[in-house]
Amino acid sequence: MPELPEVEVLVRHLAPLLQGRRIAGVVVHRERVVRPHRAHEVPPALEGAVIAGVARRAKFLVFDLRPRQPGLPTRLIGHLGMTGRMFLQPKGREVPRHAAVTFDLGPDRFIFEDTRYFGRLTWDDRCLARLGPEPLGDDLADEAFARALGRSRAPIKVRLLDQSVLAGIGNIYASEALHRAAVSPRRATCRISTAERTRLLRALRDVLEEAIRFGSTLPLDFAGTGARDGLFYYGRVGVGPTEPMMLAEDSTPPDSMSGHPAHPEVGNGYYERLRVYDRDGEPCLTCSRPIRRIIQAARSTFFCPNCQK
DNA sequence: CACCATGTTCCTTG
DNA sequence: CCAAGGAACATGGT
């Protein structure tokens, strides 16, 4: 579920649930996820710690800890990779097949689940040191954005995905922001005009903020227990046969037929949230000419060749 | 069987 | 030094 807005929504959801809870036990089901630590190092490092708070930095979740004794880690850093999820479950329920790490919190269990195991959970904080500025931070003024972009000749889309340039932009919102700013994803970064750059920063913030606002009000299925359309993203919800449901700690699993029907007009207003992503061949919502899909840095980019020059 | 997937990192080639 | 391409990680959906 990862990209800045999804992580932000998740953090807001988790913070009140985890604050003040004590970690009674930890089980590492997939050693790869706690790299560079070893599985056996994890329980002695974390057990007995109290979770003091949860925050976000770029696409990372940062859990502040009060360790049981000095010298032990004071924060845990999580990354969801492509398919990571985090949620609470009552103990006694079966842990999901792809649980990577589980925490015993007493009455319930905090689960980091990740089908592809690209995610991470670590107290090695070097990953945070390499990050560029937060796109939503007040500190990121126009000049700071210009400085971050630099004089690179790389295509702007590829540049936006570089976490050391700007932290938190992923493949979906990069395409979305460029479309809103009417800048071609292929444009060399150093050939973006001042006006375009200003538009782009604005578009980035708008896209991210809207997604957060939207995600905060949307019934989300953090546990992934509901039938899904495969994306878990806000934008295509309503297209598929079901709609994700909110799952606080332990709400009842959604009955799969209770979602809105698949008609866009009946829909829930989510239908047009993503204007270009995953819309290859569909008409651009501004000019109605077809959206195109191209490959940049081995990843799909979607854009309107007519609107974005 | 084919191809695709929200992410990151490392390696090679130009 | 930089850009671009590919592969790797691992699993599942269409």
Side-chain angles (χ1 to χ4, degrees), chain A residues 24 45 49 55 81 107-108 153 159 161 172 195 229 247 250 278 289-290:
Chain A
D108 37 31
R153 277 163 300 180
R159 195 76 177 146
L161 292 181
I172 293 178
D229 62 6
L247 197 104
D250 175 39
D278 202 23
R289 305 209 50 196

Side-chain angles (χ1 to χ4, degrees), chain A residues 66-105:
Chain A
R66 272 199 307 274
R68 72 170 188 281
Q69 61 175 246
L72 294 177
T74 56
R75 58 183 185 174
L76 236 200
I77 297 154
H79 195 291
L80 299 169
M82 298 266 271
T83 52
R85 292 194 159 89
M86 292 184 184
F87 52 93
L88 278 102
Q89 254 189 3
K91 249 152 76 180
R93 189 184 293 186
E94 199 183 352
V95 305
R97 184 210 312 243
H98 296 300
V101 181
T102 53
F103 295 81
D104 179 349
L105 298 182

Side-chain angles (χ1 to χ4, degrees), chain A residues 44-277:
Chain A
L46 302 181
E47 280 172 11
V50 170
I51 302 172
V54 190
R56 179 190 62 77
R57 169 77 173 103
K59 301 174 194 173
F60 292 90
L61 297 101
V62 181
F63 302 86
D64 278 299
L65 304 178
R66 272 199 307 274
R68 72 170 188 281
Q69 61 175 246
L72 294 177
T74 56
R75 58 183 185 174
L76 236 200
I77 297 154
H79 195 291
L80 299 169
M82 298 266 271
T83 52
R85 292 194 159 89
M86 292 184 184
F87 52 93
L88 278 102
Q89 254 189 3
K91 249 152 76 180
R93 189 184 293 186
E94 199 183 352
V95 305
R97 184 210 312 243
H98 296 300
V101 181
T102 53
F103 295 81
D104 179 349
L105 298 182
D108 37 31
R109 206 178 263 129
F110 178 51
I111 295 178
F112 177 20
E113 184 224 325
D114 186 359
T115 48
R116 287 167 76 179
Y117 306 111
F118 289 178
R120 260 184 96 182
L121 205 56
T122 177
W123 55 88
D124 179 346
D125 57 10
R126 286 174 298 182
C127 48
L128 298 185
R130 299 191 274 264
L131 294 171
E134 286 284 324
L136 293 185
D138 301 327
D139 45 313
L140 188 68
D142 200 55
E143 306 134 39
F145 185 46
R147 226 178 309 123
L149 290 179
R151 308 201 208 308
S152 167
R153 277 163 300 180
I156 183 64
K157 154 67 158 44
V158 175
R159 195 76 177 146
L160 289 177
L161 292 181
D162 186 334
Q163 301 298 296
S164 68
V165 170
L166 206 58
I169 310 298
N171 207 35
I172 293 178
Y173 296 115
S175 282
E176 292 298 313
L178 285 165
H179 181 257
R180 286 206 198 198
V183 174
S184 168
R186 301 200 251 221
R187 180 82 65 78
T189 303
C190 59
R191 298 187 45 196
I192 289 180
S193 73
T194 307
E196 287 169 331
R197 197 189 58 226
T198 305
R199 264 179 9 232
L200 181 54
L201 178 57
R202 184 65 201 268
L204 281 163
R205 300 177 93 126
D206 286 350
V207 161
L208 297 174
E209 272 165 14
E210 257 177 53
I212 292 171
R213 221 178 308 132
F214 183 77
S216 313
T217 60
L218 181 71
L220 284 182
D221 176 16
F222 288 107
T225 50
R228 294 182 303 280
D229 62 6
L231 270 187
F232 190 74
Y233 270 86
Y234 312 149
R236 304 298 266 186
V237 176
V239 177
T242 60
E243 169 189 10
M245 307 286 282
M246 177 53 135
L247 197 104
E249 257 160 303
D250 175 39
S251 68
T252 44
D255 44 9
S256 57
M257 286 299 114
S258 70
H260 290 277
H263 307 301
E265 67 277 11
V266 177
N268 11 41
Y270 318 154
Y271 194 71
E272 293 186 0
R273 288 201 57 70
L274 299 185
R275 300 187 190 176
V276 288
Y277 185 81

